[in-house]
Amino acid sequence: MTAASARVVLGLCAFTHDSAAALLVDGHLVGFVEEERLSGIKHDHAMPRRAVDWLLTTYSLSVADVDEVAYNFVPARYLPAALPTPAHLLGDPPRAVARSRSFLKVAARTHNRLGELRRWFPSASVRAVPHHRAHGLYAFAASGADHAGVLVVDSLGETATTTIAEAHRQQGGRLSYQQREALSDPASLGYVYGAVTEHLGWRRGDEEGTVMALAALGDPARFRDVMCEAVRLTERGFAVDTRLIALRVLSSRTRRLTPEFVRRTCPPRRADEPVTAEHQDLAAALQERTEEVMLHLARRTQRHVGASTLCVGGGVAMNCVSIGKIAETGIADAVSVPPAPGDSGTAIGAALAVWHQRTGSLATGAENACYLGPDFTGITLTPAPRHGMRADRVSDRAHHLAERLAEGRIIGVFTGALEAGPRALGHRSILASPLDPAVVDRLNRTVKYREPFRPFAPVILADKANDYVRVGAPSPFMSRAHTVTDLARTRIPSIVHTNNTARVQTVDATQNAFLTEVLSEFEAITGTPVLINTSLNIKGKPICGTPEMALDCLAESGIDALLLEDWWVVRQ
């Protein structure tokens, strides 16, 4: 059957941050790409037109060939929050009214967006999918498990913020996916983390990872009491105290922390102000409480389901320190996080949900899949692709790259199909030797232009990983931070964060043959099967999705060279 005659489902995360598109053809995931990687606009919230065009063009499809469009929000599910509760009205009447109006407005806007999609895809059936169902189905499908507990924790999905579900792939391929429990706003761990991130001077919805890194420098005891009051553990999960964390209004212009929270912690920090001990301590208390809540929710999921695999999705699943803590407790035999656990991944999840609704089965192709976007193999460059640049073909590119890395150079790598999600997984990466003690400072100062306390992640040959990091199971998507070994501390301290952990990526030849070859060549030269791996971009810009973006990165950053497929590009 040709693609044009097959059943085609297009999944969309659109009109919101991290817009993306995914394509199922006859129940198989064939492609996925985030719009920012093609537009160059970080966290692009537009309709993902470039992503859709690439998917349809790649598989010789037209808009008329799309049978179903799956959208990752349901308008009516916003409406319960439009009814103010007596407690909210008593606590802060003006804010309670503003909250109600904002949820009504977003419900109407989401309804209108479905109408826009119907106009764009006139031949397709447009279906709205509950946001947390999209998160959960993608997390389960990516794990490859047959039976799992599924924990989704984010800022907000319509009104849901935390859900626990059981997923069971039965004989004959039938899928049972049953939600067991849910928490609704204002009980939102993602909202709290974003609010404190903004208070500390970083961009909410973008730089929570910076606050997670800062937390390792602080003492949580200083603000432990206020964070425990702000986020209280309960029998059903947790609750948020709106006397400290302001009741959510769906507007970027409204404050998220109350004057009482500010009085008991510290004044808001501007982005250009120095980071002080109290900022470090508040970050530490926030991170500590996040880990406690996530462990509590993971245990609750296992009590509900009792499966050997725990799948975690949603934006809070990108808190790799929390995920590492869950894995190290042994709550489940395996802890799985998909490569795109945030909202972009719900494009895949929405498509999976529509296919499941139609057939009762789980679509294939998502299991352990991350290299799902555009590739540019066969690209031809001129000898001078940009003014002041020189490009030459290299024959044995893995050996050539490993030699240059062993010499201490910092190299951008652009090869193969684009990764899914926020982590560089070897196809759009900046690689460097972990043996150079000055490399972290150089990467932060001249390449990534970011805070000096932020660590860099190691990529390690899978069969050597436990020599350096107590990772246990494979970690192909950099989703967990684990304690390092004595060998790592003495041999490659550049990959060790202040809290004695590293967010590791493990690779083998079946997952990424080229990166495995590079690591093997680097080990042959240096005796160390480890490289620093960070994303091919500079601060404020998305991971490079096109050759032009990669050349921009070479021109605008301090990387020494760019391996663009089999072209070696340097500044003259």
Side-chain angles (χ1 to χ4, degrees), residues 336-460:
S336 176
V337 177
D343 274 11
S344 67
T346 61
I348 298 175
L352 295 173
V354 165
W355 186 260
H356 177 237
Q357 183 181 17
R358 169 170 289 279
T359 67
S361 63
L362 183 66
T364 58
E367 180 179 347
N368 295 318
C370 62
Y371 305 114
L372 295 165
D375 67 59
F376 297 86
T377 53
I379 188 172
T380 298
L381 297 182
T382 64
R386 294 279 182 88
H387 177 70
M389 291 184 186
R390 186 182 75 250
D392 299 288
R393 281 191 186 274
V394 288
S395 54
D396 188 347
R397 57 181 190 158
H399 181 73
H400 183 82
L401 176 58
E403 282 190 327
R404 302 293 83 75
L405 291 168
E407 293 168 356
R409 301 192 195 184
I410 297 173
I411 311 297
V413 173
F414 185 107
T415 183
L418 178 64
E419 297 100 329
R423 315 295 193 201
L425 301 173
H427 283 193
R428 305 290 186 272
S429 289
I430 295 173
L431 302 178
S433 168
L435 302 171
D436 182 352
V439 74
V440 170
D441 175 65
R442 187 177 163 212
L443 278 165
N444 275 323
R445 183 169 44 82
T446 70
V447 177
K448 302 292 283 189
Y449 307 115
R450 65 183 199 177
E451 299 79 5
F453 56 81
R454 292 182 62 181
F456 287 98
V459 57
I460 311 177

Side-chain angles (χ1 to χ4, degrees), residues 458-474 483-485 487-488 491-492 495 504-508 516 519-524 526-531:
V459 57
I460 311 177
L461 288 174
D463 60 349
K464 308 290 179 62
N466 281 294
D467 294 341
Y468 296 90
V469 183
R470 303 190 191 284
V471 66
T483 304
V484 300
T485 66
L487 178 61
R491 177 73 171 158
I492 47 172
I495 62 97
V504 64
Q505 178 192 8
T506 61
V507 295
D508 59 30
T516 300
L519 284 163
S520 299
E521 293 276 4
F522 186 79
E523 182 184 24
T526 67
T528 302
V530 186
L531 288 167

